[in-house]
Amino acid sequence: MSVNTTFKKAMLSAFVLSASAFSTNVFAANMFTTKATSSLNCVTINNDLAQIEKFKQAGTYRFAKGGVQRINFDFASSKPFQDYLAAARAHINAQNPKASMPCPISTPTSKRLYADKPLQVVDLITPFELKADNEKAAVLLIHGLTDSPYLFHDLANSFVEQGISVRTLLLPGHGTAAEALVDIEQADWRQAASYAIKSMLSDFDNVYLGGFSTGGALVVDYLNHNTLNETEQQKLKGVMLWSPASEAKAGMAWAAKYVSWFTDYLDEAADIDFAKYESFPANAGAQVHALMQQIEPKKLKGLRNIQFFVVASEVDQTIETDATVNMLARWHAQNSAVQAQDRFVYYYADKVEEQLNALSNSLKTVTTFSCAGQVYCDHVLDIAHTSPTNAPSNPHYGWQGSYRNCEHLTGDLFASCKTARAVTLGELTEANLETTPNLQRLTFNPYYEQMLEQMQVFVESTLK
């Protein structure tokens, strides 16, 4: 595959907001064999290139067990959140073809939830609630398109350690098989997000709302279209967004709706990543585009007096970061009563763009981060859309994790990306793919600990 072709495929994935399957490092080349293993689990499934190709061709994990069904839960109700969690787990078990697959992945959050019991895929992707000791606040975390709540295992543990309880939401059409997104509608996501947010504001005294990519768009959408009463306004302390979906990077995002009339999938993959879909339905791109149209800057009206913490990357190839900046500027213009230092925007970039310079009086920006003393520092080119929420130590998506994101490649480049001993990670920019044709898309944050420190400052400042 030529570099130009590779870049075009990468941009196609970006234009439909695939948020791309996550990547990681440190696979030894000799781990890959052509012999099928009898001990298939969520780790060993990554180790056989021939088997991965068979899964892709057969669609083994692309289709839901027994055909797509909706979760047996009424998001229009005010049922307890624990009822929702039980329904979501039952739904995953019934529909996900990998639900009962052994999954020897251990995170601080999984240890809090399950102690040392042997885990299955369902345990790691199901939505969860963690109660903090000496609770001072609670945060709701909403994942991105094709993702699952596993995306927040690192952040959840960090929050709990700070005395912040955590709830996560599994968006409709997720956590089972990519087929479930073929006929989903963004109204389903909005209703689920509304249920979870209302539940938070009812159940806790101090609330934060957090979202990655599409999850971030859903948080902004809710606040923009729903009026909070006085009690809810007092409870809502802030919003946290990572790579928030504001506008697709590619200008042809509007076409996803029409593409979905002719084909179910823009990309059919092996779907070996237990924590998200690798196959990408065209309808998924169409629906997230429709969602983003709900929060165009000119339509933002209901965001007054809400503090925000935002992490974005200059080179994001899924989301147009300039659009995110415009959204934040509009937000800030409606928040004149709030002190400027209470806004935290962390912008991973080599230099500050003119647009951000113009906002320097209203947005607190941090643009210089150091990565030293860690072996991965020399291997990371820049920060990808998929990077901010995962720690380098993440056992699945981190530096020594079990999975590599190579879905933007095919043929020999795909094989090289999956097996190379010397790895280079970054965003799927044309320049990066030109210099590193077998580039892995970065899925952990080299500056994770620095981000956590700033998040703690944000929480301390907004809880006063």
Side-chain angles (χ1 to χ4, degrees), residues 271-304:
D271 293 298
I272 60 171
D273 184 352
F274 77 83
K276 72 170 293 156
Y277 306 149
E278 294 175 331
S279 295
F280 192 79
N283 177 63
Q287 295 306 314
V288 78
H289 177 66
L291 172 64
M292 289 188 296
Q293 288 185 308
Q294 298 274 346
I295 57 170
E296 292 175 349
K298 63 183 179 181
K299 296 179 181 178
L300 296 182
K301 63 183 187 303
L303 306 176
R304 291 177 176 82

Side-chain angles (χ1 to χ4, degrees), residues 73 127 144 200 209 221 294 313 330 342 351 366 393 413 431-432:
F73 186 81
M200 291 292 294
L209 303 177
D221 172 73
Q294 298 274 346
S313 171
R330 177 78 172 189
D342 289 335
K351 61 183 183 298
V366 175
S393 60
L413 287 178
N432 285 350

